[in-house]
Amino acid sequence: MVTDLTKTYRTPFRRRKVEALRGVSFRVARGEIFGFLGPNGAGKTTTIRTLMSLIKPTGGTAQILGHVLPSRAARMRVGFLPEQPYFYDYLTVPELLDLAGRLFGIDRATRKKRADFLIDRVGLGRARNQNLKKFSKGMMQRAGLAQALMNDPDLVVLDEPMSGLDPIGRKEVRDLITELRDQGKTVFFSSHILTDVESVADRVAIVARGQIQTEGTPSELVATTTISVDITMRVAGLADDKVAALVARGPGKSRRVADELHVVLPADADVDAWLAAAHADGAKVVSVSPRHESLEDLFLRHIGSADSSAAAMEGRV
Amino acid sequence: MSNSASKSSAGISPSAALGGGPLGSIGRVWAIALNTFREAARIRVLYGVVILVLMSNVLALVLGEMSIYEEQRVSRDVGLAGISIFGSLTAIFLGVFLLYGEVQRRTVHAIVSKPIQRWEFVVGKYVGMALVLTVLVGLFGAAMAAMVTYQGGGVTSALLKAVVLSWCEVLTVAASAIFFSSFSSPFLSGIFALAMFVIGRLTPDIAAATETAKSSWIRLVTKVTLEIVPDLHLYSVSGRNVDGDPVSVHGDFVSWGYVATSAGHGFLWIVGLMALAALLFSRRDFA
Ligand SMILES: Nc1ncnc2c1ncn2[C@@H]1O[C@H](COP(=O)(O)OP(=O)(O)O)[C@@H](O)[C@H]1O
Ligand SMILES: [Mg+2]
């Protein structure tokens, strides 16, 4: 749970203040995958670093697993993957995981067992004996995931876990996130890529310019507005003038592709009446689908509107 | 593969790790220290320093041959100076870069977000560095001993005491370097630590030189400066007067009591500097 977090960076030489967070509040429920979505520079990493006690907030408070931050008890139960992670490059993965395990106070035998399991799980089995120095970005990311899971955490915090990965790597991370949730863990991850968030997150917060713009389940976020109703019908065997009449009747736009006629009616049109008339004319309706604002539209709208402070205030949760 | 290991309780005994008990702290400090030792052992410059010191020892042998009566004297002087100067310079180098590097390369992020306290991290870094420096001092000392033995001399207790004192000096310098790097850049920290090293060593000379200064202001500034700088001169006593008596590693040297007192003095400085470093480091943002 995060309440009204603010962070102002001071750049000592330019004497310029950067308001990276301007009152960020949200709540993550136990056992859910929470996607923290926002464009670059939105304040995601700043929020996460504050939560990990790497930086002190200028204002506001946060609680993790019931502990008011900063809290070692909370860190005990949290796993953290930093943004663009970098680790001691003179270590091998087993050595890195051993170090992580020691810091969690895990005994030697369990450290070893857990490290072996995680190395296989993140697919670094073949790079076991290699120094991290030789790791690609994607391998570093995997090593980072493994070290974040050494303590079998209740909450996993991942800052841009999919960045720098190829499509297969992204999918593997998505699968891992889902698997962690299915094990009962809470996953909080950030991303600037919509589809990565959309495909796994149970709940999403859209952040831009240091503020939460909106928050909800993906379907909640997109189901609120119907933009239009799309209708597809077969018009084979209909005379051209009949089709033309059909088209003329509707208030919407239409397009004919071979024997199919696609009609887009505005959201407020009387769809039933229109369908009945079309049916009477001999057209066969293939599909009727309401089109909602996509998460992308929503995302773009919120990123764009964050300038106006009124919209920003409204979006604050 | 999603079933097995995740269900194990991860082997964490909450009391050991969390209780803040001394055992937990020691474990974490030690983990950081070992890792720091590992890191330092990969720094090539250190090997360069070792080679440099060994070469200067060989040079001392050659020079010693030329001065007929004094050959062991030259070896001892060069050997001890090597430990003190190269040891201290290495201490500054490590102290200035090791802590800074963690912040700069952001390796610190994955560490301090784990249940380690910031002071444990700083102390762990110091202990790791101290281990490295101890190995170096041991190597340099062994090289000097070999040289003296080769020349037919013995390893006197005076020589041993001198090495122990140099070791204390090096560890104190390392603490001051870490202290400076807990809040400033490597360049500034390096300059500060170097200044501290020089002033600390020359304290009696500076005090003597400014004693007669006309301006009371200069006298005050000098006095304050000398007070806040570790008394490194305690560790390089050969050729000086201690408690009124002249002392030399080639003749009458200080007692073990003096060594113990000076070491205690150094220990207090180290503890103080580390406490300040830990405090400053704890307040830092890692952004
Ligand atoms: N150390 C810093 N000093 C000054 N400004 C910073 C610092 N780190 C981040 N910022 C600024 O804070 C804002 C938020 O950055 P960040 O949290 O990294 O965004 P995100 O992770 O969403 O891309 C940006 O405008 C960024 O330029
Ligand atoms: Mg970021």
Side-chain angles (χ1 to χ4, degrees):
Chain A
M1 190 179 78
V2 172
T3 313
D4 210 23
L5 217 51
T6 61
K7 175 67 189 177
T8 305
Y9 286 115
R10 285 162 203 283
T11 44
F13 294 113
R14 276 173 290 161
R15 290 179 189 276
R16 203 166 50 88
K17 286 186 191 171
V18 181
E19 285 194 344
L21 302 182
R22 303 186 295 161
V24 168
S25 304
F26 58 88
R27 177 189 276 274
V28 178
R30 296 238 174 156
E32 73 179 0
I33 299 174
F34 192 96
F36 202 47
L37 177 66
N40 289 325
K44 303 182 296 294
T45 297
T46 303
T47 304
I48 289 175
R49 286 184 181 159
T50 310
L51 295 179
M52 294 300 108
S53 304
L54 292 171
I55 58 183
K56 282 190 194 62
T58 312
T61 58
Q63 273 184 38
I64 286 184
L65 304 168
H67 302 282
V68 177
L69 300 186
S71 155
R72 281 187 60 229
R75 276 182 272 150
M76 198 73 204
R77 303 303 319 138
V78 172
F80 171 48
L81 171 73
E83 182 179 42
Q84 293 172 14
Y86 197 76
F87 306 103
Y88 304 106
D89 54 16
Y90 45 90
L91 298 182
T92 62
V93 192
E95 288 165 349
L96 174 72
L97 298 189
D98 192 68
L99 173 63
R102 280 171 186 258
L103 297 181
F104 283 117
I106 303 172
D107 66 71
R108 182 185 295 267
T110 317
R111 285 204 300 268
K112 172 107 180 52
K113 209 176 80 191
R114 185 101 188 119
D116 287 342
F117 167 75
L118 287 171
I119 289 168
D120 284 343
R121 179 62 193 85
V122 300
L124 285 175
R126 268 187 291 166
R128 277 189 76 98
N129 301 318
Q130 217 168 314
N131 280 349
L132 298 188
K133 191 175 202 129
K134 298 196 185 124
F135 271 30
S136 67
K137 206 171 170 219
M139 289 162 81
M140 208 58 135
Q141 199 85 3
R142 290 161 193 264
L145 284 165
Q147 64 84 35
L149 298 174
M150 266 309 273
N151 60 332
D152 195 16
D154 295 330
L155 167 67
V156 186
V157 176
L158 312 169
D159 196 356
E160 304 268 0
M162 292 124 178
S163 85
L165 298 183
D166 57 22
I168 298 171
R170 302 177 101 82
K171 163 120 175 54
E172 285 172 356
V173 171
R174 283 205 297 270
D175 292 348
L176 178 66
I177 289 177
T178 317
E179 185 185 309
L180 291 172
R181 191 254 328 264
D182 295 344
Q183 288 167 10
K185 301 184 195 309
T186 309
V187 183
F188 178 92
F189 77 102
S190 77
S191 175
H192 63 281
I193 294 173
L194 177 76
T195 47
D196 287 338
V197 174
E198 202 174 15
S199 51
V200 278
D202 298 319
R203 247 152 32 86
V204 179
I206 295 180
V207 58
R209 280 158 243 239
Q211 287 176 323
I212 303 280
Q213 305 298 325
T214 183
E215 185 189 342
T217 65
S219 51
E220 257 169 37
L221 290 180
V222 300
T224 43
T225 44
T226 305
I227 301 174
S228 60
V229 180
D230 297 5
I231 299 168
T232 304
M233 56 188 74
R234 290 186 66 80
V235 290
L238 276 185
D240 280 354
D241 59 328
K242 279 223 164 180
V243 174
L246 228 169
V247 168
R249 180 152 0 107
K253 290 175 279 181
S254 61
R255 189 163 53 89
R256 184 172 179 171
V257 180
D259 282 345
E260 289 196 343
L261 184 68
H262 300 277
V263 183
V264 178
L265 296 182
D268 56 356
D270 188 346
V271 180
D272 289 340
W274 200 92
L275 285 175
H279 191 69
D281 282 347
K284 287 199 172 59
V285 176
V286 176
S287 77
V288 179
S289 54
R291 202 158 71 84
H292 298 301
E293 183 179 33
S294 72
L295 202 49
E296 184 174 8
D297 298 332
L298 186 85
F299 183 38
L300 293 174
R301 182 155 63 82
H302 279 295
I303 295 173
S305 71
D307 260 339
S308 104
S309 62
M313 290 305 292
E314 225 183 352
R316 215 164 107 181
V317 183
Chain B
M1 58 183 155
S2 62
N3 49 3
S4 60
S6 60
K7 293 291 170 264
S8 73
S9 68
I12 300 173
S13 76
S15 55
L18 241 197
L23 268 176
S25 277
I26 289 172
R28 290 185 293 269
V29 167
W30 189 240
I32 298 297
L34 283 183
N35 189 45
T36 305
F37 185 89
R38 246 187 167 137
E39 181 180 5
R42 308 210 118 232
I43 301 177
R44 297 226 176 84
V45 178
L46 292 192
Y47 297 93
V49 170
V50 171
I51 291 171
L52 211 64
V53 168
L54 295 184
M55 269 164 43
S56 70
N57 284 353
V58 172
L59 195 69
L61 271 181
V62 177
L63 287 178
E65 298 280 318
M66 293 193 287
S67 59
I68 304 154
Y69 301 110
E70 309 276 23
E71 52 178 16
Q72 287 186 40
R73 181 178 278 264
V74 174
S75 301
R76 284 192 291 249
D77 282 340
V78 170
L80 285 175
I83 295 178
S84 171
I85 292 171
F86 283 103
S88 296
L89 289 180
T90 310
I92 292 175
F93 173 79
L94 291 179
V96 157
F97 283 111
L98 286 186
L99 194 60
Y100 172 83
E102 295 259 5
V103 178
Q104 188 62 14
R105 284 176 303 175
R106 293 187 283 113
T107 46
V108 73
H109 288 201
I111 300 295
V112 299
S113 54
K114 295 194 166 55
I116 181 174
Q117 280 163 314
R118 298 250 183 124
W119 72 262
E120 292 168 344
F121 180 75
V122 176
V123 173
K125 285 254 83 114
Y126 177 73
V127 172
M129 271 176 52
L131 285 176
V132 176
L133 294 168
T134 302
V135 169
L136 281 185
V137 170
L139 270 177
F140 297 167
M144 179 174 61
M147 199 163 55
V148 173
T149 314
Y150 170 79
Q151 290 171 329
V155 179
T156 58
S157 73
L159 207 56
L160 196 60
K161 286 173 197 161
V163 172
V164 171
L165 285 173
S166 292
W167 180 58
C168 295
E169 176 181 27
V170 168
L171 295 190
T172 310
V173 171
S176 75
I178 287 223
F179 162 71
F180 286 122
S181 83
S182 70
F183 62 89
S184 64
S185 71
F187 181 69
L188 284 179
S189 315
I191 290 187
F192 288 147
L194 207 59
M196 207 163 193
F197 173 59
V198 172
I199 296 174
R201 286 205 87 174
L202 300 181
T203 295
D205 308 85
I206 296 172
T210 52
E211 211 162 82
T212 54
K214 287 196 191 76
S215 152
S216 62
W217 207 79
I218 291 185
R219 285 205 301 273
L220 182 70
V221 169
T222 319
K223 199 167 153 47
V224 171
T225 310
L226 295 183
E227 279 305 320
I228 58 171
V229 165
D231 305 302
L232 299 177
H233 58 95
L234 291 179
Y235 309 118
S236 52
V237 285
S238 190
R240 288 185 184 286
N241 285 340
V242 173
D243 298 331
D245 299 322
V247 155
S248 164
V249 72
H250 314 297
D252 284 335
F253 203 56
V254 291
S255 63
W256 278 113
Y258 174 90
V259 174
T261 313
S262 303
H265 191 93
F267 183 74
L268 290 182
W269 265 107
I270 292 170
V271 170
L273 285 166
M274 291 322 291
L276 284 174
L279 188 70
L280 290 165
F281 197 71
S282 307
R283 302 165 74 99
R284 274 181 66 172
D285 271 2
F286 300 125

